Amino acid sequence: MKPYKTIEEGPNEVTAFEELDLSKKYSYADYLTWKFKERVEIIKGHIFKMSPAPGMKHQRISSRIHIQLGVFMNSQGNKCEIFSAPFDVRFPKASADNEHVFDIVQPDLCVVCELSKLDERGCLGAPDLIVEILSPGSLQRDLKEKYELYERNSVGEYWVVHPEDSTVLIYRLNEGGKYQASRLFTKGDKVNSVVLPGLELDLNEVFDFE
């Protein structure tokens, strides 16, 4: 039995999340047929159901980071583009029986500088920078599965934002292609970036909720 369905096998349209068998592996071909409202991600063929709509603090943090990154890039005449979820990022991977197998995730924010990777379905290949904002339902996925996925696919910087602690931890690829963690940034700090040289993202503006 093949671990993945192929496009030629014609995956059936699925209209409810409950119709999926979570013990099985699924492909991008399957993903394109799903018509239910729930947002999901696929990592190594396994389905991860995303948390319900993020809370206000999560959304404020996302919006504030997005604005600061966008303003900086515009001021520098930077050709990179920034996108917020829901936005599909597809990481291609080899498959013996299905060239349309991908890991598919929806980062909270991502910056893409190689614009040829963009198409009508999102980003095909590794963004240059990804931001994930932690929530109770995403800790395992963000800190393990996505960490390994982003490192394996050479995402240049992976920012992990902890809303409750008001902290940011940045993983950057070293010369060996492995992530190396920064110090822990918190309120009062300004975060810089190797991907976006000259950036000074003010965490007071990100985490000030008074």
Side-chain angles (χ1 to χ4, degrees), residues 116-135:
S116 62
K117 293 180 178 180
L118 299 175
D119 59 26
E120 290 302 313
R121 290 177 176 169
C123 179
L124 178 57
D128 295 84
L129 185 155
I130 283 178
V131 180
E132 296 284 10
I133 302 168
L134 299 179
S135 61

Side-chain angles (χ1 to χ4, degrees), residues 191-204:
V191 175
N192 55 25
S193 168
V194 173
V195 171
L196 300 172
L199 173 71
E200 290 189 342
L201 187 136
D202 189 342
L203 293 188
N204 280 337

Side-chain angles (χ1 to χ4, degrees), residues 23 57 72 91 96 112 115:
S23 68
K57 181 180 286 190
F72 170 78
F91 295 101
V112 181
L115 301 186

Side-chain angles (χ1 to χ4, degrees), residues 1-170:
M1 180 177 179
K2 294 179 181 179
Y4 296 93
K5 298 177 183 178
T6 66
I7 287 179
E8 287 74 16
E9 289 172 335
N12 296 321
E13 183 176 289
V14 176
T15 57
F17 178 82
E18 291 72 21
E19 296 176 26
L20 298 176
D21 183 345
L22 300 186
S23 68
K24 293 183 178 180
K25 289 186 175 182
Y26 291 89
S27 73
Y28 186 58
D30 297 306
Y31 180 84
L32 292 176
T33 70
W34 297 341
K35 305 301 181 183
F36 46 77
K37 295 181 179 180
E38 292 88 343
R39 290 169 54 207
V40 298
E41 298 176 310
I42 300 177
I43 301 176
K44 295 182 179 179
H46 296 289
I47 298 172
F48 292 87
K49 187 177 182 180
M50 301 183 71
S51 301
M56 184 178 293
K57 181 180 286 190
H58 181 289
Q59 292 298 75
R60 282 177 171 169
I61 289 172
S62 178
S63 176
R64 292 172 183 184
I65 294 175
H66 192 150
I67 289 170
Q68 285 199 58
L69 291 177
V71 168
F72 170 78
M73 289 189 291
N74 288 337
S75 71
Q76 301 294 307
N78 195 297
K79 299 301 182 183
C80 302
E81 293 193 36
I82 183 170
F83 300 91
S84 57
F87 178 80
D88 283 349
V89 174
R90 293 118 63 206
F91 295 101
K93 58 183 180 179
S95 171
D97 56 19
N98 186 356
E99 62 179 338
H100 296 277
V101 172
F102 299 96
D103 290 304
I104 309 152
V105 293
Q106 294 187 357
D108 289 307
L109 295 167
C110 65
V111 174
V112 181
C113 297
E114 191 175 336
L115 301 186
S116 62
K117 293 180 178 180
L118 299 175
D119 59 26
E120 290 302 313
R121 290 177 176 169
C123 179
L124 178 57
D128 295 84
L129 185 155
I130 283 178
V131 180
E132 296 284 10
I133 302 168
L134 299 179
S135 61
S138 72
L139 289 174
Q140 169 78 10
R141 186 163 68 251
D142 290 340
L143 297 177
K144 178 173 172 56
E145 279 84 7
K146 285 191 175 181
Y147 173 96
E148 294 173 351
L149 176 68
Y150 297 160
E151 182 184 65
R152 185 168 64 250
N153 286 277
S154 300
V155 174
E157 287 186 1
Y158 176 28
W159 295 17
V160 178
V161 181
H162 199 307
E164 300 307 318
D165 293 347
S166 298
T167 60
V168 177
L169 185 64
I170 298 179

